[in-house]
């Protein structure tokens, strides 16, 4: 089995996440399933919604080929990619593809045990506006490419700011996520 893993704060999960998930599954037929891994606590930035709220909003992304793992939530605190990859590989006996946005490629040098990481997983880089890919990707990284690839500059940060300013977020998040945000008065 081959699994794609998309980790992050998902604070909130948005349509850009959805586009990445769907297009990875369409363009990488070797990947059987995408697993969403919400961070309990991000290494470099704070969370604004509780881990319970973020996980609840992610439920709307689940289908036959997309599921959520609470592996980092169970660990509490900051989790490192290498530990998550090793644990998921051991649990699932699967080959791992770690999915990142092109903005993350520039941060890879900061990652813990990066030399070990590229031995444990293949990295799929999804282009994210306006972050252009470097001329040469790090070893173990490959870019998702297609003539009709849908990329966005939507970010959770922008969505939170729009909510805080009372602006509309319709179509930036799935409708059920928007209803959840409103019902739970998140990000106001």
């Amino acid at each position: 089995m081959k699994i794609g893993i998309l980790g992050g704060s998902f604070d909130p999960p948005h349509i850009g996440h959805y586009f990445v998930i769907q297009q990875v599954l369409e363009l990488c037929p070797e990947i059987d399933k995408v697993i969403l891994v919400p961070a309990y606590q991000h290494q470099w930035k704070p969370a604004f919604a509780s881990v319970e709220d973020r996980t609840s909003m992610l439920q709307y992304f689940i289908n036959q080929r997309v599921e959520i793992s609470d592996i980092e939530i169970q660990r509490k605190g900051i989790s490192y990619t290498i530990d998550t990859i090793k644990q998921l590989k051991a649990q699932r006996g699967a080959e791992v593809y770690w999915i990142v946005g092109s903005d993350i490629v520039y941060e890879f040098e900061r990652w813990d045990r990066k030399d070990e990481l590229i031995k444990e997983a293949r990295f799929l880089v999804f282009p994210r506006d306006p972050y252009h890919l470097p001329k040469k990707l790090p070893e173990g990284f490959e870019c998702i490419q297609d003539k009709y690839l849908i990329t966005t500059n939507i970010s959770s940060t922008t969505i939170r700011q729009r909510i805080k300013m009372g602006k509309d977020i319709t179509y930036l998040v799935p409708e059920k996520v928007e209803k959840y945000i409103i019902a739970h008065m998140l990000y106001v």
Side-chain angles (χ1 to χ4, degrees), residues 120-170:
E120 293 290 334
R122 291 171 63 184
F123 285 77
L124 298 178
V125 180
F126 197 93
R128 183 172 179 200
D129 297 337
Y131 303 94
H132 300 290
L133 291 167
K135 289 187 186 347
K136 186 173 190 251
L137 290 173
E139 180 187 345
F141 282 66
E142 60 188 82
C143 186
I144 302 284
Q145 295 180 346
D146 186 74
K147 181 178 179 180
Y148 302 106
L149 193 69
I150 299 169
T151 62
T152 75
N153 66 350
I154 298 170
S155 72
S156 296
T157 302
T158 300
I159 292 166
R160 290 192 306 269
Q161 281 304 115
R162 289 183 67 80
I163 293 168
K164 196 173 200 131
M165 295 184 308
K167 293 185 177 181
D168 187 31
I169 61 164
T170 304

Side-chain angles (χ1 to χ4, degrees), residues 5-8 10 35-41 51-52 54-56 58-59 62 67-77 79 83-84 87-88 91-92:
I5 301 172
L6 181 60
F10 301 108
I35 299 173
L36 307 175
V37 181
Y40 181 81
Q41 179 182 345
V51 71
E52 293 81 15
R54 293 183 286 120
T55 303
S56 292
L58 270 182
Q59 298 294 326
I62 294 176
E67 64 183 66
I68 299 169
S69 170
D70 67 352
I71 194 168
E72 293 189 359
I73 296 167
Q74 293 299 321
R75 273 194 219 124
K76 307 250 189 261
S79 288
D83 299 324
T84 300
Q87 192 173 347
L88 283 171
Q91 284 176 356
R92 308 228 179 197

Side-chain angles (χ1 to χ4, degrees), residues 108 112-120:
F108 188 65
D112 191 55
R113 297 167 24 208
K114 63 184 175 297
D115 294 334
E116 194 176 344
L117 274 170
I118 58 174
K119 293 176 184 166
E120 293 290 334

